Amino acid sequence: MAKSPETELPLKAFGWAARDTSGTLSPFHFSRRENGDDDVSVKILYCGVCHSDLHTLKNDWGFTTYPVVPGHEIVGVVTKVGINVKKFRVGDNVGVGVIVESCQTCENCNQDLEQYCPKLVFTYNSPYKGTRTHGGYSDFVVVHQRYVVQFPDNLPLDAGAPLLCAGITVYSPMKYYGMTEPGKHLGVAGLGGLGHVAIKFGKAFGLKVTVISTSPNKETEAIDKLGADSFLVSKDPEKMKAAMGTMDYIIDTISAAHSLMPLLGLLKLNGKLVTVGLPSKPLELSVFPLVAGRKLIGGSNFGGLKETQEMLDFCGKHNITADIELIRMDEINTAMERLHKADVKYRFVIDVANSLSSL
Ligand code: NAP
Ligand code: ZN
């Protein structure tokens, strides 16, 4: 098993890492820092598998440094707290999401918008004080208390893990862009991890929700199980034509390059299309439908810590969790192949504590 080339830190950690653009994950020993005065140490119980993990493993975005241990939908139990930590106690169930550090002084940090801090440190694949951060496909993590959230008591830890990224990434733009007015019509483009949680938030906000998907085989479940009101197969030109001008909002969670034109066509006058998906290639866009229909296109980056806690509490109240396929750590490479083919219902979650330690 390869050793990390970075500065050796005092604590020995174990996880699964990819070493090259094949993205294949395998066992990996590395090190983490001691628990500092403001830190919380978390034994990782579950970690969701986000498509961003897959983009990173394959270096789709061009900034992966190998070896990389992915994972930013972490739920675990607190094992240690620093002397300045008052909010968390040993034994608490907590979550860690997409970032583990930011400058804490810039305008964005001061507004609880750490996700837009120019100096943010991602949970994995980020440089950090001469080392690299490594994520939740591992046994434990040490995180500054600001980047840790309390996990609601009434939610299952495994199905709740995806809320730490998939959940907040759709909740935050829905709130910010005002996509919450009861009775309005929301389109959810792409029915994967983010998309299926967007349906649940949409219904909790009182919206009519239509899924826009390339996968006709997801229709029955989308309606019967996830609570969508209708389902539109984006490859069916007749149905797409009939649905033109019917939606107030669209949240676009598609992971691969696609044209925005058909989606813009579905929007009413003043409609809003918010994209959260991060395909590596530019999306096709003509400004004509924007101008002619006074439409708006926006983007959004996961969420700040205050809003992440708010979102988790909202999920606790409305009983919102992800629909998951729980896997063992040694099933991760097959899971990644399936994620690449949009073949997951609707989020893989790794049973980290029960399957990593037995290796
Ligand atoms: P996912 O589970 O793989 O879902 C993506 C869905 O996109 C697929 O299930 C599929 O839905 C659709 N899709 C895939 N390829 C497509 C294609 N060629 N054309 C049209 N539709 C296609 O991924 P995810 O974890 O939800 O993440 C989605 C995207 O959001 C990724 O790019 C990820 O990196 C990004 N992301 C962004 C943030 C942020 O902060 N902005 C946070 C997390 C993730 P259908 O089968 O229904 O067509
Ligand atoms: Zn993610």
Side-chain angles (χ1 to χ4, degrees), residues 40-81:
V40 176
S41 291
V42 181
K43 174 184 156 69
I44 298 171
L45 300 178
Y46 299 102
C47 187
V49 178
C50 179
H51 205 112
S52 298
D53 301 351
L54 182 54
H55 287 307
T56 304
L57 295 181
K58 299 276 186 188
N59 198 20
D60 285 351
W61 298 323
F63 59 81
T64 303
T65 300
Y66 298 97
V68 61
V69 178
H72 60 203
E73 293 184 338
I74 298 168
V75 170
V77 61
V78 174
T79 55
K80 203 170 186 181
V81 294

Short mmCIF file of all heavy atoms in Angstrom, two decimals, residues 40-81:
data_model
loop_
_atom_site.label_atom_id
_atom_site.label_comp_id
_atom_site.label_asym_id
_atom_site.label_seq_id
_atom_site.Cartn_x
_atom_site.Cartn_y
_atom_site.Cartn_z
N VAL A 40 -12.79 19.31 16.24
CA VAL A 40 -13.66 18.20 16.60
C VAL A 40 -13.15 16.98 15.83
O VAL A 40 -12.96 17.06 14.62
CB VAL A 40 -15.13 18.52 16.18
CG1 VAL A 40 -16.05 17.35 16.46
CG2 VAL A 40 -15.63 19.78 16.88
N SER A 41 -12.91 15.87 16.51
CA SER A 41 -12.54 14.63 15.82
C SER A 41 -13.79 13.78 15.65
O SER A 41 -14.58 13.64 16.59
CB SER A 41 -11.51 13.83 16.62
OG SER A 41 -10.28 14.52 16.62
N VAL A 42 -13.96 13.26 14.45
CA VAL A 42 -15.18 12.53 14.13
C VAL A 42 -14.84 11.14 13.60
O VAL A 42 -14.11 11.02 12.61
CB VAL A 42 -16.00 13.30 13.04
CG1 VAL A 42 -17.29 12.56 12.71
CG2 VAL A 42 -16.28 14.73 13.47
N LYS A 43 -15.35 10.12 14.27
CA LYS A 43 -15.24 8.76 13.72
C LYS A 43 -16.31 8.65 12.63
O LYS A 43 -17.50 8.86 12.90
CB LYS A 43 -15.51 7.73 14.83
CG LYS A 43 -15.56 6.28 14.33
CD LYS A 43 -15.94 5.36 15.50
CE LYS A 43 -16.56 4.04 15.07
NZ LYS A 43 -15.73 3.10 14.42
N ILE A 44 -15.88 8.34 11.43
CA ILE A 44 -16.81 8.35 10.30
C ILE A 44 -17.63 7.05 10.29
O ILE A 44 -17.08 5.95 10.31
CB ILE A 44 -16.06 8.55 8.98
CG1 ILE A 44 -15.35 9.92 9.00
CG2 ILE A 44 -17.02 8.45 7.79
CD1 ILE A 44 -14.40 10.16 7.86
N LEU A 45 -18.96 7.24 10.28
CA LEU A 45 -19.86 6.08 10.23
C LEU A 45 -20.31 5.84 8.79
O LEU A 45 -20.24 4.73 8.29
CB LEU A 45 -21.06 6.31 11.14
CG LEU A 45 -20.75 6.51 12.63
CD1 LEU A 45 -22.01 6.79 13.42
CD2 LEU A 45 -20.03 5.28 13.20
N TYR A 46 -20.77 6.91 8.14
CA TYR A 46 -21.30 6.79 6.78
C TYR A 46 -20.77 7.93 5.92
O TYR A 46 -20.56 9.04 6.42
CB TYR A 46 -22.83 6.86 6.78
CG TYR A 46 -23.46 5.74 7.57
CD1 TYR A 46 -23.96 5.96 8.86
CD2 TYR A 46 -23.53 4.45 7.05
CE1 TYR A 46 -24.51 4.93 9.60
CE2 TYR A 46 -24.08 3.41 7.78
CZ TYR A 46 -24.57 3.65 9.05
OH TYR A 46 -25.12 2.63 9.78
N CYS A 47 -20.60 7.65 4.64
CA CYS A 47 -20.23 8.72 3.71
C CYS A 47 -20.94 8.52 2.39
O CYS A 47 -20.86 7.44 1.78
CB CYS A 47 -18.70 8.75 3.50
SG CYS A 47 -18.18 10.17 2.53
N GLY A 48 -21.65 9.55 1.94
CA GLY A 48 -22.34 9.49 0.66
C GLY A 48 -21.35 9.60 -0.49
O GLY A 48 -20.23 10.09 -0.33
N VAL A 49 -21.79 9.13 -1.66
CA VAL A 49 -20.95 9.13 -2.86
C VAL A 49 -21.54 10.14 -3.85
O VAL A 49 -22.54 9.88 -4.50
CB VAL A 49 -20.89 7.72 -3.49
CG1 VAL A 49 -20.06 7.72 -4.76
CG2 VAL A 49 -20.34 6.71 -2.47
N CYS A 50 -20.90 11.30 -3.91
CA CYS A 50 -21.38 12.40 -4.75
C CYS A 50 -20.75 12.30 -6.14
O CYS A 50 -19.63 11.81 -6.28
CB CYS A 50 -20.97 13.72 -4.09
SG CYS A 50 -21.46 15.19 -4.98
N HIS A 51 -21.46 12.81 -7.15
CA HIS A 51 -20.85 12.79 -8.49
C HIS A 51 -19.60 13.66 -8.54
O HIS A 51 -18.72 13.44 -9.36
CB HIS A 51 -21.87 13.23 -9.56
CG HIS A 51 -21.56 12.69 -10.92
ND1 HIS A 51 -22.34 11.76 -11.57
CD2 HIS A 51 -20.51 12.93 -11.74
CE1 HIS A 51 -21.79 11.46 -12.74
NE2 HIS A 51 -20.68 12.17 -12.87
N SER A 52 -19.50 14.63 -7.63
CA SER A 52 -18.26 15.43 -7.57
C SER A 52 -17.07 14.55 -7.20
O SER A 52 -15.94 14.81 -7.62
CB SER A 52 -18.40 16.56 -6.55
OG SER A 52 -19.43 17.43 -6.94
N ASP A 53 -17.31 13.51 -6.38
CA ASP A 53 -16.23 12.56 -6.07
C ASP A 53 -15.73 11.91 -7.37
O ASP A 53 -14.52 11.78 -7.59
CB ASP A 53 -16.72 11.45 -5.12
CG ASP A 53 -17.27 11.98 -3.79
OD1 ASP A 53 -17.12 13.18 -3.52
OD2 ASP A 53 -17.86 11.18 -3.03
N LEU A 54 -16.70 11.52 -8.19
CA LEU A 54 -16.35 10.85 -9.45
C LEU A 54 -15.63 11.81 -10.40
O LEU A 54 -14.61 11.46 -11.00
CB LEU A 54 -17.63 10.29 -10.10
CG LEU A 54 -17.49 9.51 -11.40
CD1 LEU A 54 -16.48 8.37 -11.29
CD2 LEU A 54 -18.86 8.95 -11.83
N HIS A 55 -16.15 13.04 -10.54
CA HIS A 55 -15.45 14.05 -11.36
C HIS A 55 -14.00 14.19 -10.88
O HIS A 55 -13.08 14.29 -11.68
CB HIS A 55 -16.11 15.43 -11.22
CG HIS A 55 -17.43 15.61 -11.90
ND1 HIS A 55 -17.66 15.34 -13.23
CD2 HIS A 55 -18.62 16.12 -11.43
CE1 HIS A 55 -18.92 15.64 -13.54
NE2 HIS A 55 -19.52 16.11 -12.47
N THR A 56 -13.82 14.24 -9.56
CA THR A 56 -12.47 14.44 -9.00
C THR A 56 -11.58 13.23 -9.27
O THR A 56 -10.42 13.38 -9.68
CB THR A 56 -12.57 14.70 -7.48
OG1 THR A 56 -13.45 15.81 -7.27
CG2 THR A 56 -11.20 15.02 -6.88
N LEU A 57 -12.11 12.04 -9.03
CA LEU A 57 -11.31 10.82 -9.25
C LEU A 57 -10.77 10.75 -10.66
O LEU A 57 -9.65 10.32 -10.91
CB LEU A 57 -12.16 9.57 -9.01
CG LEU A 57 -12.68 9.31 -7.61
CD1 LEU A 57 -13.47 8.02 -7.58
CD2 LEU A 57 -11.51 9.23 -6.64
N LYS A 58 -11.62 11.17 -11.61
CA LYS A 58 -11.25 11.08 -13.03
C LYS A 58 -10.53 12.33 -13.52
O LYS A 58 -10.23 12.47 -14.70
CB LYS A 58 -12.53 10.91 -13.87
CG LYS A 58 -13.33 9.67 -13.56
CD LYS A 58 -12.77 8.50 -14.31
CE LYS A 58 -13.65 7.27 -14.13
NZ LYS A 58 -13.05 6.07 -14.68
N ASN A 59 -10.30 13.27 -12.62
CA ASN A 59 -9.70 14.56 -12.97
C ASN A 59 -10.47 15.29 -14.08
O ASN A 59 -9.89 15.98 -14.91
CB ASN A 59 -8.22 14.40 -13.37
CG ASN A 59 -7.47 15.72 -13.30
OD1 ASN A 59 -7.91 16.66 -12.64
ND2 ASN A 59 -6.37 15.82 -14.03
N ASP A 60 -11.79 15.18 -14.08
CA ASP A 60 -12.63 15.85 -15.08
C ASP A 60 -12.42 17.35 -15.07
O ASP A 60 -12.52 18.01 -16.10
CB ASP A 60 -14.13 15.63 -14.76
CG ASP A 60 -14.62 14.24 -15.09
OD1 ASP A 60 -13.86 13.48 -15.72
OD2 ASP A 60 -15.77 13.91 -14.70
N TRP A 61 -12.18 17.92 -13.90
CA TRP A 61 -12.08 19.38 -13.79
C TRP A 61 -10.64 19.88 -13.88
O TRP A 61 -10.39 21.08 -13.80
CB TRP A 61 -12.69 19.86 -12.45
CG TRP A 61 -14.14 19.56 -12.29
CD1 TRP A 61 -15.10 19.60 -13.27
CD2 TRP A 61 -14.82 19.21 -11.08
NE1 TRP A 61 -16.33 19.27 -12.74
CE2 TRP A 61 -16.18 19.03 -11.40
CE3 TRP A 61 -14.41 19.02 -9.76
CZ2 TRP A 61 -17.15 18.68 -10.45
CZ3 TRP A 61 -15.37 18.67 -8.80
CH2 TRP A 61 -16.71 18.51 -9.14
N GLY A 62 -9.68 18.95 -13.98
CA GLY A 62 -8.28 19.33 -14.21
C GLY A 62 -7.53 19.80 -12.98
O GLY A 62 -6.43 20.32 -13.11
N PHE A 63 -8.07 19.65 -11.78
CA PHE A 63 -7.27 20.08 -10.62
C PHE A 63 -7.14 19.01 -9.53
O PHE A 63 -6.90 19.31 -8.36
CB PHE A 63 -7.75 21.43 -10.05
CG PHE A 63 -9.19 21.48 -9.58
CD1 PHE A 63 -9.55 21.00 -8.34
CD2 PHE A 63 -10.16 22.04 -10.40
CE1 PHE A 63 -10.88 21.06 -7.90
CE2 PHE A 63 -11.48 22.10 -9.98
CZ PHE A 63 -11.84 21.62 -8.73
N THR A 64 -7.21 17.76 -9.95
CA THR A 64 -7.02 16.68 -8.95
C THR A 64 -5.54 16.44 -8.71
O THR A 64 -4.76 16.36 -9.65
CB THR A 64 -7.68 15.37 -9.45
OG1 THR A 64 -9.05 15.62 -9.71
CG2 THR A 64 -7.54 14.27 -8.41
N THR A 65 -5.17 16.35 -7.45
CA THR A 65 -3.82 15.93 -7.07
C THR A 65 -3.93 14.55 -6.44
O THR A 65 -4.68 14.37 -5.48
CB THR A 65 -3.20 16.92 -6.06
OG1 THR A 65 -3.15 18.21 -6.67
CG2 THR A 65 -1.79 16.50 -5.66
N TYR A 66 -3.24 13.59 -7.02
CA TYR A 66 -3.30 12.21 -6.50
C TYR A 66 -2.18 12.00 -5.50
O TYR A 66 -1.14 12.65 -5.60
CB TYR A 66 -3.17 11.23 -7.67
CG TYR A 66 -4.30 11.34 -8.67
CD1 TYR A 66 -4.15 12.08 -9.84
CD2 TYR A 66 -5.52 10.71 -8.44
CE1 TYR A 66 -5.19 12.19 -10.77
CE2 TYR A 66 -6.57 10.81 -9.37
CZ TYR A 66 -6.38 11.55 -10.52
OH TYR A 66 -7.41 11.65 -11.43
N PRO A 67 -2.33 11.10 -4.56
CA PRO A 67 -3.54 10.31 -4.29
C PRO A 67 -4.62 11.17 -3.63
O PRO A 67 -4.30 12.13 -2.93
CB PRO A 67 -3.05 9.23 -3.32
CG PRO A 67 -1.81 9.79 -2.71
CD PRO A 67 -1.22 10.76 -3.66
N VAL A 68 -5.88 10.81 -3.90
CA VAL A 68 -6.98 11.57 -3.32
C VAL A 68 -7.98 10.62 -2.67
O VAL A 68 -8.37 9.61 -3.27
CB VAL A 68 -7.66 12.47 -4.39
CG1 VAL A 68 -8.24 11.67 -5.55
CG2 VAL A 68 -8.74 13.35 -3.77
N VAL A 69 -8.34 10.94 -1.44
CA VAL A 69 -9.40 10.20 -0.72
C VAL A 69 -10.65 11.07 -0.80
O VAL A 69 -10.70 12.12 -0.17
CB VAL A 69 -9.03 9.98 0.77
CG1 VAL A 69 -10.16 9.26 1.50
CG2 VAL A 69 -7.72 9.22 0.91
N PRO A 70 -11.65 10.69 -1.59
CA PRO A 70 -12.83 11.54 -1.73
C PRO A 70 -13.79 11.41 -0.54
O PRO A 70 -13.49 10.70 0.43
CB PRO A 70 -13.50 11.03 -3.01
CG PRO A 70 -12.73 9.84 -3.45
CD PRO A 70 -11.74 9.47 -2.40
N GLY A 71 -14.95 12.07 -0.67
CA GLY A 71 -16.00 11.93 0.34
C GLY A 71 -16.28 13.22 1.09
O GLY A 71 -15.47 13.65 1.91
N HIS A 72 -17.46 13.84 0.80
CA HIS A 72 -17.83 15.05 1.53
C HIS A 72 -19.30 15.04 1.95
O HIS A 72 -19.93 16.07 2.03
CB HIS A 72 -17.44 16.31 0.73
CG HIS A 72 -18.08 16.44 -0.60
ND1 HIS A 72 -17.54 17.21 -1.61
CD2 HIS A 72 -19.23 15.93 -1.12
CE1 HIS A 72 -18.31 17.17 -2.67
NE2 HIS A 72 -19.35 16.42 -2.40
N GLU A 73 -19.79 13.84 2.19
CA GLU A 73 -21.13 13.70 2.79
C GLU A 73 -20.95 12.79 4.00
O GLU A 73 -21.34 11.63 4.01
CB GLU A 73 -22.10 13.08 1.78
CG GLU A 73 -22.38 14.00 0.60
CD GLU A 73 -23.40 13.47 -0.39
OE1 GLU A 73 -23.62 12.23 -0.44
OE2 GLU A 73 -23.99 14.28 -1.14
N ILE A 74 -20.32 13.36 5.03
CA ILE A 74 -19.85 12.57 6.16
C ILE A 74 -20.80 12.68 7.34
O ILE A 74 -21.17 13.79 7.75
CB ILE A 74 -18.45 13.10 6.59
CG1 ILE A 74 -17.44 12.93 5.46
CG2 ILE A 74 -17.99 12.41 7.88
CD1 ILE A 74 -16.12 13.69 5.68
N VAL A 75 -21.18 11.54 7.88
CA VAL A 75 -21.89 11.52 9.16
C VAL A 75 -21.11 10.61 10.10
O VAL A 75 -20.68 9.52 9.71
CB VAL A 75 -23.34 11.03 9.01
CG1 VAL A 75 -23.97 10.78 10.37
CG2 VAL A 75 -24.18 12.08 8.28
N GLY A 76 -20.90 11.10 11.31
CA GLY A 76 -20.13 10.29 12.26
C GLY A 76 -20.40 10.71 13.67
O GLY A 76 -21.29 11.52 13.96
N VAL A 77 -19.58 10.16 14.56
CA VAL A 77 -19.77 10.42 15.98
C VAL A 77 -18.51 11.11 16.53
O VAL A 77 -17.39 10.75 16.17
CB VAL A 77 -20.12 9.10 16.73
CG1 VAL A 77 -19.02 8.06 16.60
CG2 VAL A 77 -20.45 9.36 18.18
N VAL A 78 -18.74 12.11 17.37
CA VAL A 78 -17.63 12.89 17.91
C VAL A 78 -16.84 12.04 18.91
O VAL A 78 -17.43 11.44 19.82
CB VAL A 78 -18.14 14.18 18.60
CG1 VAL A 78 -17.01 14.92 19.30
CG2 VAL A 78 -18.83 15.08 17.59
N THR A 79 -15.51 11.99 18.72
CA THR A 79 -14.67 11.20 19.63
C THR A 79 -13.77 12.09 20.49
O THR A 79 -13.21 11.65 21.47
CB THR A 79 -13.78 10.22 18.85
OG1 THR A 79 -13.04 10.97 17.88
CG2 THR A 79 -14.60 9.15 18.15
N LYS A 80 -13.61 13.35 20.08
CA LYS A 80 -12.73 14.25 20.83
C LYS A 80 -13.11 15.69 20.50
O LYS A 80 -13.47 15.97 19.35
CB LYS A 80 -11.29 14.00 20.38
CG LYS A 80 -10.23 14.40 21.37
CD LYS A 80 -8.87 13.87 20.91
CE LYS A 80 -7.83 14.13 21.96
NZ LYS A 80 -6.52 13.68 21.56
N VAL A 81 -13.02 16.59 21.49
CA VAL A 81 -13.24 18.01 21.20
C VAL A 81 -12.12 18.82 21.86
O VAL A 81 -11.63 18.46 22.94
CB VAL A 81 -14.61 18.53 21.70
CG1 VAL A 81 -15.77 17.90 20.95
CG2 VAL A 81 -14.79 18.33 23.20
#
